[in-house]
Amino acid sequence: MASSGPKLGGLRRRQLGGSYRTGAEHYDRIRPGYPDEAVDWLFDVPSLSGRPAPSVSVADVGAGTGKYTAALVSAGFKVQAVDPSADMLAQLSRRLPTVPAAQGTAEQTGLPDSSLDAVTVAQAWHWCDPVASAREFARVLAPGGFAGLVWNQLDVSVPWVHRFSRIIHAGDVLRPGFRPELGPQLRLHEFNTASWSVAMTPEDLAELAQSRAYYLSASESTRSKVLANLTWYLYEHLGHAPGEELQLPYLTFTWRAVRA
């Protein structure tokens, strides 16, 4: 969930990021995955041309329950997962039992020097210190390696989705022209957008709202207000029926960063 407004301060970043220390099963069940197109684009680089996928070593940092990790595994790469939350990693290991998983952060991964072809951070870079994380990634990447910074965003060009995002205070609506902040060891190289959608019911949309940092860190009165507004919008204003299948459109933004 990347902010569309002012940058998060270090304390606020840690407070909101701490919302995800628990609740892994719910997060894994209701959050969307990532399209194959986005992964294919990220790894379509000359340094990996002709190499079999199992020889490509990737660390998914801030892996959470393994949403993006699963896409990397499906592509055939040699993947390891890093996340600060033991609860999230336990869910990841239940889902992806063959993937090595260890507690760590983007600032301190615990991984060996020059050991990786790629490091990915999906839906988590905004929780990281960009300077310390860039320094750490430059340390663990092998020559020719790169970092992939990835965000799923609700496609707010669709009017009903735009209003939905405002009701739930979706933080993953990036401002126009957004570019991830990096430390001096890395520079942004290329960018890609993938458009896709996921089937959800109105009940799923309510659960999606409850998986957001805004909701998780809010008071009970604020939570009740969010859900009441969402119930009115989906059932009364838009006229959807319980259990009705809707297509929720997403954009996946991917930046490839290389050593400066």
Side-chain angles (χ1 to χ4, degrees):
M1 290 157 297
S3 175
S4 60
K7 296 176 184 177
L8 293 173
L11 177 60
R12 184 58 174 160
R13 182 192 296 122
R14 289 190 295 273
Q15 288 172 336
L16 288 173
S19 302
Y20 294 108
R21 296 288 178 166
T22 59
E25 186 279 332
H26 181 261
Y27 184 100
D28 187 61
R29 177 167 51 83
I30 203 63
R31 283 299 185 100
Y34 294 85
D36 293 340
E37 175 190 342
V39 175
D40 293 343
W41 175 84
L42 179 60
F43 286 84
D44 184 15
V45 295
S47 63
L48 301 182
S49 179
R51 285 182 54 181
S55 73
V56 177
S57 57
V58 187
D60 191 25
V61 177
T65 65
K67 290 290 187 176
Y68 195 78
T69 317
L72 296 171
V73 171
S74 293
F77 302 127
K78 180 182 178 183
V79 184
Q80 51 192 313
V82 176
D83 195 90
S85 169
D87 186 46
M88 291 282 183
L89 288 178
Q91 184 67 31
L92 183 149
S93 293
R94 285 191 287 271
R95 184 182 188 195
L96 302 167
T98 64
V99 174
Q103 283 187 265
T105 65
E107 298 84 359
Q108 292 183 305
T109 63
L111 300 170
D113 292 355
S114 305
S115 60
L116 298 166
D117 295 301
V119 177
T120 58
V121 183
Q123 217 75 6
W125 184 251
H126 45 284
W127 304 130
C128 306
D129 180 311
V131 175
S133 300
R135 184 187 310 119
E136 175 72 350
F137 289 3
R139 179 186 71 78
V140 301
L141 285 170
F146 60 88
L149 308 180
V150 186
W151 277 268
N152 272 339
Q153 172 180 300
L154 295 168
D155 186 353
V156 294
S157 68
V158 179
W160 81 264
V161 178
H162 182 259
R163 189 163 183 182
F164 168 69
S165 75
R166 293 178 67 85
I167 290 171
I168 70 171
H169 294 261
D172 59 355
V173 179
L174 304 177
R175 63 187 180 273
F178 170 84
R179 287 167 61 86
E181 183 181 350
L182 293 173
Q185 291 82 5
L186 297 177
R187 64 177 176 84
L188 297 177
H189 181 54
E190 292 179 290
F191 169 75
N192 180 71
T193 302
S195 301
W196 58 291
S197 65
V198 61
M200 302 195 86
T201 65
E203 293 83 359
D204 292 333
L205 294 176
E207 289 203 51
L208 183 62
Q210 294 173 71
S211 75
R212 302 276 173 167
Y214 175 84
Y215 182 92
L216 293 170
S217 61
S219 66
E220 286 301 321
S221 61
T222 297
R223 291 181 178 189
S224 296
K225 182 178 179 180
V226 168
L227 294 180
N229 288 342
L230 188 57
T231 296
W232 170 83
Y233 181 59
L234 294 173
Y235 297 111
E236 296 183 40
H237 184 71
L238 294 180
H240 293 302
E244 180 181 349
E245 187 174 283
L246 313 173
Q247 288 295 321
L248 181 64
Y250 272 93
L251 301 173
T252 297
F253 299 134
T254 306
W255 282 265
R256 188 187 297 118
V258 297
R259 278 196 177 90

